[in-house]
Amino acid sequence: MTSVLDTPRTRLSGPEPSGQGPRRRLVVIGNGMAGARAVEEILARGGAGQFTITMFGDEPYGNYNRIMLSHVLSGEESDADIFLNSLSWYQDKGITLHAGVRVDRIDRFTKHVFSNDGRVTPYDILIIATGSRSHMPPMDGLYTPAGSVKPGVFAFRTIDDTRKMVAYAQHEHHRRAVVIGGGLLGLEAAYGLRSHGINVDVVHSAGHLMSAQMGPDGGAVLRRSVEALGIGVLTGSRTTAVLGSDRVTGISLRGGTDIPCDMVVVAAGIRPNVDLAVLSGLPVERAIVVDDRLRVQDEDDIYAVGECVQHRGEVYGLVAPLWEQAVVLANHVTGTDTSAMYLGSRTATKLKVAGVEVASMGLHGPELDTDEHIVFSEPSRGVFKSIVVRDNKMVGATLLGDSRKVAYLTEAYDRGLPLPEERIGLMFDFGTPDGDAGVGELSDDAQVCNCNGVSKKTLVDAVQGGCATVAGAMEATRAGKGCGSCKLLVRQVVEWAADGAVEEDPVANYYVPAIPLDKQALMAEIRKRGLRSVSAVFQALAPGGEDARSKMGLASLLKTMLAERYMDERDARFINDRVHGNIQRDGTFSVVPQMKGGVTSVQQLRRIADVAEKHNVPLIKLTGGQRIDLLGIRKEDLPQVWADLDMPSGYAYGKSFRTVKTCVGKDFCRYGTGDSTKLGIEIESRFQGIEAPGKLKLAVSGCPRNCAESLVKDVGVVAVEGGRWEIYVGGAAGAHIRKGDLLATVDDPEQVKVLAGRFMQYYREQANWLERTYAFVPRVGIEHLRGVIVDDAQGIAAQLDAAMQASVDSYVDPWLDRDDPQTPGQFRTSLPLTVLPQVPVR
Ligand SMILES: Cc1cc2nc3c(=O)[nH]c(=O)nc-3n(C[C@H](O)[C@H](O)[C@H](O)COP(=O)(O)OP(=O)(O)OC[C@H]3O[C@@H](n4cnc5c(N)ncnc54)[C@H](O)[C@@H]3O)c2cc1C
Ligand code: SF4
């Protein structure tokens, strides 16, 4: 992983404050999101000409986007990617940054700050932006006798906390975690740890998740979505002790239950960092008390901003309010607008929590008898919408799993927009603006990106200032670079502002985000340079070095291109691919032995039954692809189960060729005209396990009645009159439904195998990573495909056939890892995360 370049205790000098020149000395304590933003706003108002600026931050880095720590924890972003202002930014702006230095005291009479490196720094204007820290609730056993937090216990606040958590989670002995707190932060922490294959339980003291943002009904739907990610949830539970003498071994709950675990993440709320202010005699209640100008009460020259601030009794814990505060503060400090007032923020939370879209504003439910409450709930899809209307004004909303209407609802909430008579129109696109119309109707200062405080006008200005691509506008404004939930709206605004003249983002064409090349150019470079492993590709072609999001796509491409010459690196695979099974909700795995064409025998059935009995398999289930699935196998038992089965892997996991579903065909069926079973088995034997950009599901039907559902498969084959076979490609019957396009009709089953293989190879070489055939086929067009695959219009047919043959020849059954694990930890214990219900006997 690329590490952050910043070094501890850096002192970056711009001009040293002298106090003699015309410029006044501005000192900022705290280099987090609010402190840095306030300085940016000050610079934007000509502050560089008015002030020499000195900043202190006790984290030894430049300024980073704290929101993105969740993405760093889950491995979706590298820590180097979340920096908003690198150290060179401070230098360029002439700011003196003391990074890794803590201010211990302010002398407000002599106007000096004292820092822990012995420095005494004078100021004319002081800004305090010390933020918050994680709250550690009282629990027995939290601290060691020496007074430090017990090894294995983590807060989730800083980049250092996050790095330590990642390192701990990747340790092979650390398999179970408990997260204390089921709010935004706790769920993010749980989601991040889950991505490392850790079994996680969230313990939350309130009766439902995210209780600060939503009511019990929404919380129940959220719980289902969170549990579907394999995260255990205990609500109404309180932790009383951390167990273990020298490191964490578990936690105790009130009522006496213990949960064993190797790590504990405390996400039980935050506390403003006010010790410095208290010690220096500033007014502090719940946080540092400021007025509407963000000036500390009764102080002329001291301002405060961000989470360390209490304004009109409110303390905020999200970034949107601090953006608003920074603007007002900058107007006053620079004298740009001395009438500017901060009157508090109406917090509308719009976030992606643990991958689930969440938006919440105002009331969670009705308070008065006359309040109208409109609720839509679809728990199976994780969708919940609730809106509270009072006196024909919207006074609250909760949206879960579908926040498409959030921009309109936020406007309606903030501005009291007229509401449609049919209230259902508030939730769905009937009678209220949608799409482009909605964007046009948003006011200029409507906040599009909450995380980075970007308004519609800022985005429109960026487009009018020459940002012609969505990525360019995002880069210029930072919109969409927080939790990511607003990206669709950002795109709509940019497209609307550009009036259709949006240029395509080059990044959209990169095969993987870390390498600025499209797939064909990337393949050409790999060939030219003879690269054979994922790490070699990163080294040669990725300007920013390794990138977690790019690994799996690269591994798949290299395997497609190089067959047996590919040098496998285990960390380029995801958990399913590392242990050749599908990880299930409770942390166990499913085992699907190969059963070509869905055909089995007495011997196979007996063996499967024996294995299921021997290993106490809790659930035996037929899959949609006509295979037998043994569910609930513990990771450490996989090698033995495979050995006892003594059958090859059936590929129910991974982005690869999976199965061929067949109907009974002509030998048994009255209608059958072709031997679908035989052909299905032959196809499966030939292409078993080959890598692809997305999974490949196939089927062969013996007549146009299509009992094997061939028309909705990636490749589907149908026997028709006269002994002929139709080949369909690009079908799907999952979340997306599409009837495949007819590629060719051939006379001979051998020809089916050739054309199906050629199509799959072309798809492997041309499709984007994770692009299923149902998207690929319409994108390139069936005519084009027919030209290449059937008519050999590009003269590459022989090449495609040879490349596919090389992949076929290099096939090795992955379950042979049972005799020779690739890494010591490959099949190490992975304890069940949640107790699954017993399978009912039906
Ligand atoms: C993991 C995570 C995810 C989040 N996700 C979201 C989200 O999705 N949406 C959202 O709106 N908000 C989110 N937040 C909250 C958001 O990050 C905060 O609201 C925001 O960072 C507050 O900014 P701040 O500058 O007030 O405090 P901070 O960003 O904490 O900055 C304060 C800085 O001051 C330093 N400091 C403190 N005391 C001193 C001292 N005496 N001397 C020198 N330096 C000092 C601190 O070390 C820190 O670096 C998230 C927070 C976390 C931790
Ligand atoms: S697809 Fe035709 S041949 Fe196959 S089972 Fe159905 S009716 Fe019979």
Side-chain angles (χ1 to χ4, degrees), residues 796-825:
I796 59 167
Q799 215 174 297
L800 292 171
D801 295 345
M804 177 54 93
Q805 188 61 45
S807 290
V808 167
D809 291 342
S810 70
Y811 170 71
V812 179
D813 176 19
W815 283 1
L816 295 179
D817 280 4
R818 63 179 173 250
D819 302 327
D820 188 12
Q822 304 277 338
T823 60

PDB file of all heavy atoms in Angstrom, residues 796-825:
ATOM      1  N   ILE A 796      -9.540 -12.263 -36.796  1.00  0.00           N
ATOM      2  CA  ILE A 796      -8.935 -12.619 -35.505  1.00  0.00           C
ATOM      3  C   ILE A 796      -9.523 -13.905 -34.934  1.00  0.00           C
ATOM      4  O   ILE A 796      -9.220 -14.285 -33.804  1.00  0.00           O
ATOM      5  CB  ILE A 796      -9.089 -11.487 -34.464  1.00  0.00           C
ATOM      6  CG1 ILE A 796     -10.588 -11.166 -34.224  1.00  0.00           C
ATOM      7  CG2 ILE A 796      -8.330 -10.247 -34.872  1.00  0.00           C
ATOM      8  CD1 ILE A 796     -10.824 -10.293 -33.009  1.00  0.00           C
ATOM      9  N   ALA A 797     -10.376 -14.586 -35.714  1.00  0.00           N
ATOM     10  CA  ALA A 797     -11.079 -15.748 -35.174  1.00  0.00           C
ATOM     11  C   ALA A 797     -10.091 -16.820 -34.702  1.00  0.00           C
ATOM     12  O   ALA A 797     -10.222 -17.367 -33.597  1.00  0.00           O
ATOM     13  CB  ALA A 797     -12.028 -16.312 -36.220  1.00  0.00           C
ATOM     14  N   ALA A 798      -9.080 -17.084 -35.522  1.00  0.00           N
ATOM     15  CA  ALA A 798      -8.123 -18.142 -35.156  1.00  0.00           C
ATOM     16  C   ALA A 798      -7.386 -17.761 -33.874  1.00  0.00           C
ATOM     17  O   ALA A 798      -7.143 -18.597 -32.999  1.00  0.00           O
ATOM     18  CB  ALA A 798      -7.141 -18.347 -36.297  1.00  0.00           C
ATOM     19  N   GLN A 799      -7.078 -16.478 -33.786  1.00  0.00           N
ATOM     20  CA  GLN A 799      -6.386 -15.965 -32.590  1.00  0.00           C
ATOM     21  C   GLN A 799      -7.251 -16.156 -31.335  1.00  0.00           C
ATOM     22  O   GLN A 799      -6.770 -16.579 -30.293  1.00  0.00           O
ATOM     23  CB  GLN A 799      -6.201 -14.476 -32.820  1.00  0.00           C
ATOM     24  CG  GLN A 799      -4.966 -13.856 -32.285  1.00  0.00           C
ATOM     25  CD  GLN A 799      -4.974 -12.401 -32.787  1.00  0.00           C
ATOM     26  OE1 GLN A 799      -4.915 -12.167 -34.012  1.00  0.00           O
ATOM     27  NE2 GLN A 799      -5.095 -11.474 -31.874  1.00  0.00           N
ATOM     28  N   LEU A 800      -8.545 -15.838 -31.458  1.00  0.00           N
ATOM     29  CA  LEU A 800      -9.461 -15.993 -30.327  1.00  0.00           C
ATOM     30  C   LEU A 800      -9.558 -17.464 -29.923  1.00  0.00           C
ATOM     31  O   LEU A 800      -9.508 -17.806 -28.751  1.00  0.00           O
ATOM     32  CB  LEU A 800     -10.856 -15.457 -30.683  1.00  0.00           C
ATOM     33  CG  LEU A 800     -10.972 -13.947 -30.883  1.00  0.00           C
ATOM     34  CD1 LEU A 800     -12.351 -13.584 -31.441  1.00  0.00           C
ATOM     35  CD2 LEU A 800     -10.741 -13.205 -29.567  1.00  0.00           C
ATOM     36  N   ASP A 801      -9.670 -18.329 -30.943  1.00  0.00           N
ATOM     37  CA  ASP A 801      -9.790 -19.762 -30.650  1.00  0.00           C
ATOM     38  C   ASP A 801      -8.537 -20.264 -29.933  1.00  0.00           C
ATOM     39  O   ASP A 801      -8.614 -21.031 -28.963  1.00  0.00           O
ATOM     40  CB  ASP A 801      -9.986 -20.565 -31.945  1.00  0.00           C
ATOM     41  CG  ASP A 801     -11.314 -20.220 -32.641  1.00  0.00           C
ATOM     42  OD1 ASP A 801     -12.170 -19.604 -31.970  1.00  0.00           O
ATOM     43  OD2 ASP A 801     -11.480 -20.541 -33.820  1.00  0.00           O
ATOM     44  N   ALA A 802      -7.371 -19.798 -30.411  1.00  0.00           N
ATOM     45  CA  ALA A 802      -6.116 -20.272 -29.812  1.00  0.00           C
ATOM     46  C   ALA A 802      -5.986 -19.769 -28.378  1.00  0.00           C
ATOM     47  O   ALA A 802      -5.558 -20.513 -27.486  1.00  0.00           O
ATOM     48  CB  ALA A 802      -4.934 -19.785 -30.652  1.00  0.00           C
ATOM     49  N   ALA A 803      -6.381 -18.514 -28.145  1.00  0.00           N
ATOM     50  CA  ALA A 803      -6.271 -17.957 -26.786  1.00  0.00           C
ATOM     51  C   ALA A 803      -7.190 -18.722 -25.837  1.00  0.00           C
ATOM     52  O   ALA A 803      -6.816 -19.037 -24.703  1.00  0.00           O
ATOM     53  CB  ALA A 803      -6.627 -16.472 -26.800  1.00  0.00           C
ATOM     54  N   MET A 804      -8.389 -19.029 -26.306  1.00  0.00           N
ATOM     55  CA  MET A 804      -9.308 -19.794 -25.464  1.00  0.00           C
ATOM     56  C   MET A 804      -8.745 -21.193 -25.199  1.00  0.00           C
ATOM     57  O   MET A 804      -8.779 -21.694 -24.074  1.00  0.00           O
ATOM     58  CB  MET A 804     -10.684 -19.870 -26.130  1.00  0.00           C
ATOM     59  CG  MET A 804     -11.694 -20.691 -25.370  1.00  0.00           C
ATOM     60  SD  MET A 804     -11.887 -20.163 -23.647  1.00  0.00           S
ATOM     61  CE  MET A 804     -13.240 -19.015 -23.766  1.00  0.00           C
ATOM     62  N   GLN A 805      -8.163 -21.807 -26.243  1.00  0.00           N
ATOM     63  CA  GLN A 805      -7.613 -23.144 -26.059  1.00  0.00           C
ATOM     64  C   GLN A 805      -6.502 -23.124 -24.989  1.00  0.00           C
ATOM     65  O   GLN A 805      -6.419 -24.021 -24.147  1.00  0.00           O
ATOM     66  CB  GLN A 805      -7.053 -23.661 -27.403  1.00  0.00           C
ATOM     67  CG  GLN A 805      -6.618 -25.113 -27.372  1.00  0.00           C
ATOM     68  CD  GLN A 805      -7.781 -26.063 -27.045  1.00  0.00           C
ATOM     69  OE1 GLN A 805      -8.874 -25.918 -27.597  1.00  0.00           O
ATOM     70  NE2 GLN A 805      -7.564 -26.997 -26.126  1.00  0.00           N
ATOM     71  N   ALA A 806      -5.691 -22.045 -24.996  1.00  0.00           N
ATOM     72  CA  ALA A 806      -4.608 -21.956 -24.000  1.00  0.00           C
ATOM     73  C   ALA A 806      -5.202 -21.892 -22.591  1.00  0.00           C
ATOM     74  O   ALA A 806      -4.696 -22.522 -21.658  1.00  0.00           O
ATOM     75  CB  ALA A 806      -3.756 -20.720 -24.275  1.00  0.00           C
ATOM     76  N   SER A 807      -6.300 -21.142 -22.445  1.00  0.00           N
ATOM     77  CA  SER A 807      -6.938 -21.071 -21.123  1.00  0.00           C
ATOM     78  C   SER A 807      -7.514 -22.419 -20.725  1.00  0.00           C
ATOM     79  O   SER A 807      -7.388 -22.846 -19.585  1.00  0.00           O
ATOM     80  CB  SER A 807      -8.068 -20.035 -21.119  1.00  0.00           C
ATOM     81  OG  SER A 807      -7.541 -18.749 -21.214  1.00  0.00           O
ATOM     82  N   VAL A 808      -8.132 -23.079 -21.700  1.00  0.00           N
ATOM     83  CA  VAL A 808      -8.730 -24.395 -21.418  1.00  0.00           C
ATOM     84  C   VAL A 808      -7.630 -25.373 -20.986  1.00  0.00           C
ATOM     85  O   VAL A 808      -7.769 -26.100 -20.000  1.00  0.00           O
ATOM     86  CB  VAL A 808      -9.465 -24.927 -22.679  1.00  0.00           C
ATOM     87  CG1 VAL A 808      -9.826 -26.399 -22.530  1.00  0.00           C
ATOM     88  CG2 VAL A 808     -10.711 -24.085 -22.951  1.00  0.00           C
ATOM     89  N   ASP A 809      -6.504 -25.318 -21.680  1.00  0.00           N
ATOM     90  CA  ASP A 809      -5.413 -26.257 -21.375  1.00  0.00           C
ATOM     91  C   ASP A 809      -4.790 -25.991 -20.005  1.00  0.00           C
ATOM     92  O   ASP A 809      -4.201 -26.890 -19.408  1.00  0.00           O
ATOM     93  CB  ASP A 809      -4.313 -26.156 -22.444  1.00  0.00           C
ATOM     94  CG  ASP A 809      -4.799 -26.696 -23.786  1.00  0.00           C
ATOM     95  OD1 ASP A 809      -5.815 -27.438 -23.796  1.00  0.00           O
ATOM     96  OD2 ASP A 809      -4.190 -26.367 -24.823  1.00  0.00           O
ATOM     97  N   SER A 810      -4.899 -24.756 -19.534  1.00  0.00           N
ATOM     98  CA  SER A 810      -4.219 -24.438 -18.267  1.00  0.00           C
ATOM     99  C   SER A 810      -5.122 -24.686 -17.053  1.00  0.00           C
ATOM    100  O   SER A 810      -4.756 -24.375 -15.925  1.00  0.00           O
ATOM    101  CB  SER A 810      -3.765 -22.978 -18.265  1.00  0.00           C
ATOM    102  OG  SER A 810      -4.884 -22.139 -18.170  1.00  0.00           O
ATOM    103  N   TYR A 811      -6.287 -25.259 -17.281  1.00  0.00           N
ATOM    104  CA  TYR A 811      -7.222 -25.447 -16.163  1.00  0.00           C
ATOM    105  C   TYR A 811      -6.667 -26.400 -15.102  1.00  0.00           C
ATOM    106  O   TYR A 811      -6.208 -27.490 -15.404  1.00  0.00           O
ATOM    107  CB  TYR A 811      -8.560 -26.012 -16.691  1.00  0.00           C
ATOM    108  CG  TYR A 811      -9.482 -26.448 -15.571  1.00  0.00           C
ATOM    109  CD1 TYR A 811     -10.094 -25.499 -14.765  1.00  0.00           C
ATOM    110  CD2 TYR A 811      -9.709 -27.797 -15.301  1.00  0.00           C
ATOM    111  CE1 TYR A 811     -10.921 -25.881 -13.724  1.00  0.00           C
ATOM    112  CE2 TYR A 811     -10.541 -28.193 -14.260  1.00  0.00           C
ATOM    113  CZ  TYR A 811     -11.143 -27.221 -13.473  1.00  0.00           C
ATOM    114  OH  TYR A 811     -11.946 -27.595 -12.440  1.00  0.00           O
ATOM    115  N   VAL A 812      -6.721 -25.952 -13.875  1.00  0.00           N
ATOM    116  CA  VAL A 812      -6.368 -26.808 -12.739  1.00  0.00           C
ATOM    117  C   VAL A 812      -7.496 -26.680 -11.736  1.00  0.00           C
ATOM    118  O   VAL A 812      -7.930 -25.552 -11.428  1.00  0.00           O
ATOM    119  CB  VAL A 812      -5.056 -26.326 -12.066  1.00  0.00           C
ATOM    120  CG1 VAL A 812      -4.714 -27.206 -10.876  1.00  0.00           C
ATOM    121  CG2 VAL A 812      -3.916 -26.309 -13.064  1.00  0.00           C
ATOM    122  N   ASP A 813      -7.969 -27.792 -11.213  1.00  0.00           N
ATOM    123  CA  ASP A 813      -9.065 -27.717 -10.242  1.00  0.00           C
ATOM    124  C   ASP A 813      -8.598 -26.983  -8.991  1.00  0.00           C
ATOM    125  O   ASP A 813      -7.660 -27.423  -8.324  1.00  0.00           O
ATOM    126  CB  ASP A 813      -9.512 -29.144  -9.894  1.00  0.00           C
ATOM    127  CG  ASP A 813     -10.585 -29.135  -8.813  1.00  0.00           C
ATOM    128  OD1 ASP A 813     -11.216 -28.070  -8.620  1.00  0.00           O
ATOM    129  OD2 ASP A 813     -10.776 -30.176  -8.165  1.00  0.00           O
ATOM    130  N   PRO A 814      -9.231 -25.862  -8.645  1.00  0.00           N
ATOM    131  CA  PRO A 814      -8.749 -25.080  -7.498  1.00  0.00           C
ATOM    132  C   PRO A 814      -8.880 -25.828  -6.174  1.00  0.00           C
ATOM    133  O   PRO A 814      -8.164 -25.524  -5.230  1.00  0.00           O
ATOM    134  CB  PRO A 814      -9.643 -23.839  -7.514  1.00  0.00           C
ATOM    135  CG  PRO A 814     -10.814 -24.195  -8.347  1.00  0.00           C
ATOM    136  CD  PRO A 814     -10.368 -25.240  -9.314  1.00  0.00           C
ATOM    137  N   TRP A 815      -9.766 -26.790  -6.112  1.00  0.00           N
ATOM    138  CA  TRP A 815      -9.930 -27.500  -4.846  1.00  0.00           C
ATOM    139  C   TRP A 815      -8.721 -28.397  -4.521  1.00  0.00           C
ATOM    140  O   TRP A 815      -8.631 -28.954  -3.438  1.00  0.00           O
ATOM    141  CB  TRP A 815     -11.230 -28.326  -4.858  1.00  0.00           C
ATOM    142  CG  TRP A 815     -12.446 -27.456  -4.648  1.00  0.00           C
ATOM    143  CD1 TRP A 815     -12.477 -26.109  -4.490  1.00  0.00           C
ATOM    144  CD2 TRP A 815     -13.805 -27.894  -4.560  1.00  0.00           C
ATOM    145  NE1 TRP A 815     -13.771 -25.667  -4.332  1.00  0.00           N
ATOM    146  CE2 TRP A 815     -14.614 -26.751  -4.369  1.00  0.00           C
ATOM    147  CE3 TRP A 815     -14.427 -29.127  -4.650  1.00  0.00           C
ATOM    148  CZ2 TRP A 815     -15.996 -26.798  -4.245  1.00  0.00           C
ATOM    149  CZ3 TRP A 815     -15.821 -29.190  -4.529  1.00  0.00           C
ATOM    150  CH2 TRP A 815     -16.588 -28.039  -4.326  1.00  0.00           C
ATOM    151  N   LEU A 816      -7.790 -28.503  -5.494  1.00  0.00           N
ATOM    152  CA  LEU A 816      -6.570 -29.260  -5.185  1.00  0.00           C
ATOM    153  C   LEU A 816      -5.703 -28.505  -4.169  1.00  0.00           C
ATOM    154  O   LEU A 816      -4.770 -29.066  -3.601  1.00  0.00           O
ATOM    155  CB  LEU A 816      -5.774 -29.533  -6.463  1.00  0.00           C
ATOM    156  CG  LEU A 816      -6.500 -30.448  -7.468  1.00  0.00           C
ATOM    157  CD1 LEU A 816      -5.675 -30.656  -8.719  1.00  0.00           C
ATOM    158  CD2 LEU A 816      -6.855 -31.792  -6.832  1.00  0.00           C
ATOM    159  N   ASP A 817      -6.031 -27.234  -3.945  1.00  0.00           N
ATOM    160  CA  ASP A 817      -5.357 -26.488  -2.865  1.00  0.00           C
ATOM    161  C   ASP A 817      -5.474 -27.232  -1.540  1.00  0.00           C
ATOM    162  O   ASP A 817      -4.732 -26.964  -0.617  1.00  0.00           O
ATOM    163  CB  ASP A 817      -6.021 -25.113  -2.649  1.00  0.00           C
ATOM    164  CG  ASP A 817      -5.586 -24.089  -3.666  1.00  0.00           C
ATOM    165  OD1 ASP A 817      -4.840 -24.446  -4.576  1.00  0.00           O
ATOM    166  OD2 ASP A 817      -6.027 -22.930  -3.545  1.00  0.00           O
ATOM    167  N   ARG A 818      -6.441 -28.131  -1.460  1.00  0.00           N
ATOM    168  CA  ARG A 818      -6.631 -28.837  -0.189  1.00  0.00           C
ATOM    169  C   ARG A 818      -5.372 -29.602   0.212  1.00  0.00           C
ATOM    170  O   ARG A 818      -5.086 -29.768   1.386  1.00  0.00           O
ATOM    171  CB  ARG A 818      -7.806 -29.811  -0.301  1.00  0.00           C
ATOM    172  CG  ARG A 818      -7.603 -30.928  -1.320  1.00  0.00           C
ATOM    173  CD  ARG A 818      -8.797 -31.860  -1.358  1.00  0.00           C
ATOM    174  NE  ARG A 818      -8.712 -32.824  -2.424  1.00  0.00           N
ATOM    175  CZ  ARG A 818      -9.475 -32.840  -3.505  1.00  0.00           C
ATOM    176  NH1 ARG A 818     -10.392 -31.919  -3.686  1.00  0.00           N
ATOM    177  NH2 ARG A 818      -9.334 -33.762  -4.420  1.00  0.00           N
ATOM    178  N   ASP A 819      -4.604 -30.086  -0.794  1.00  0.00           N
ATOM    179  CA  ASP A 819      -3.406 -30.863  -0.475  1.00  0.00           C
ATOM    180  C   ASP A 819      -2.215 -29.961  -0.217  1.00  0.00           C
ATOM    181  O   ASP A 819      -1.258 -30.366   0.416  1.00  0.00           O
ATOM    182  CB  ASP A 819      -3.060 -31.801  -1.650  1.00  0.00           C
ATOM    183  CG  ASP A 819      -4.238 -32.726  -1.955  1.00  0.00           C
ATOM    184  OD1 ASP A 819      -4.943 -33.086  -0.991  1.00  0.00           O
ATOM    185  OD2 ASP A 819      -4.468 -33.036  -3.137  1.00  0.00           O
ATOM    186  N   ASP A 820      -2.289 -28.750  -0.722  1.00  0.00           N
ATOM    187  CA  ASP A 820      -1.125 -27.884  -0.671  1.00  0.00           C
ATOM    188  C   ASP A 820      -1.593 -26.424  -0.586  1.00  0.00           C
ATOM    189  O   ASP A 820      -1.563 -25.693  -1.563  1.00  0.00           O
ATOM    190  CB  ASP A 820      -0.336 -28.122  -1.985  1.00  0.00           C
ATOM    191  CG  ASP A 820       0.997 -27.422  -1.954  1.00  0.00           C
ATOM    192  OD1 ASP A 820       1.385 -26.979  -0.871  1.00  0.00           O
ATOM    193  OD2 ASP A 820       1.644 -27.317  -3.026  1.00  0.00           O
ATOM    194  N   PRO A 821      -2.047 -25.989   0.605  1.00  0.00           N
ATOM    195  CA  PRO A 821      -2.587 -24.632   0.703  1.00  0.00           C
ATOM    196  C   PRO A 821      -1.589 -23.593   0.196  1.00  0.00           C
ATOM    197  O   PRO A 821      -0.382 -23.770   0.383  1.00  0.00           O
ATOM    198  CB  PRO A 821      -2.824 -24.454   2.211  1.00  0.00           C
ATOM    199  CG  PRO A 821      -2.789 -25.811   2.792  1.00  0.00           C
ATOM    200  CD  PRO A 821      -1.988 -26.688   1.877  1.00  0.00           C
ATOM    201  N   GLN A 822      -2.121 -22.560  -0.431  1.00  0.00           N
ATOM    202  CA  GLN A 822      -1.252 -21.544  -1.011  1.00  0.00           C
ATOM    203  C   GLN A 822      -0.587 -20.687   0.050  1.00  0.00           C
ATOM    204  O   GLN A 822       0.495 -20.165  -0.157  1.00  0.00           O
ATOM    205  CB  GLN A 822      -2.071 -20.631  -1.934  1.00  0.00           C
ATOM    206  CG  GLN A 822      -2.817 -21.363  -3.012  1.00  0.00           C
ATOM    207  CD  GLN A 822      -1.941 -21.653  -4.206  1.00  0.00           C
ATOM    208  OE1 GLN A 822      -0.933 -20.991  -4.400  1.00  0.00           O
ATOM    209  NE2 GLN A 822      -2.299 -22.636  -4.992  1.00  0.00           N
ATOM    210  N   THR A 823      -1.278 -20.491   1.172  1.00  0.00           N
ATOM    211  CA  THR A 823      -0.699 -19.718   2.273  1.00  0.00           C
ATOM    212  C   THR A 823      -1.062 -20.437   3.566  1.00  0.00           C
ATOM    213  O   THR A 823      -2.067 -21.155   3.614  1.00  0.00           O
ATOM    214  CB  THR A 823      -1.305 -18.297   2.352  1.00  0.00           C
ATOM    215  OG1 THR A 823      -2.712 -18.442   2.553  1.00  0.00           O
ATOM    216  CG2 THR A 823      -1.043 -17.479   1.113  1.00  0.00           C
ATOM    217  N   PRO A 824      -0.284 -20.208   4.640  1.00  0.00           N
ATOM    218  CA  PRO A 824      -0.606 -20.901   5.888  1.00  0.00           C
ATOM    219  C   PRO A 824      -2.006 -20.550   6.387  1.00  0.00           C
ATOM    220  O   PRO A 824      -2.666 -21.369   7.008  1.00  0.00           O
ATOM    221  CB  PRO A 824       0.455 -20.394   6.863  1.00  0.00           C
ATOM    222  CG  PRO A 824       1.507 -19.725   6.051  1.00  0.00           C
ATOM    223  CD  PRO A 824       0.926 -19.393   4.726  1.00  0.00           C
ATOM    224  N   GLY A 825      -2.453 -19.337   6.091  1.00  0.00           N
ATOM    225  CA  GLY A 825      -3.745 -18.908   6.654  1.00  0.00           C
ATOM    226  C   GLY A 825      -4.936 -19.195   5.757  1.00  0.00           C
ATOM    227  O   GLY A 825      -6.056 -18.832   6.077  1.00  0.00           O
TER     228      GLY A 825
END
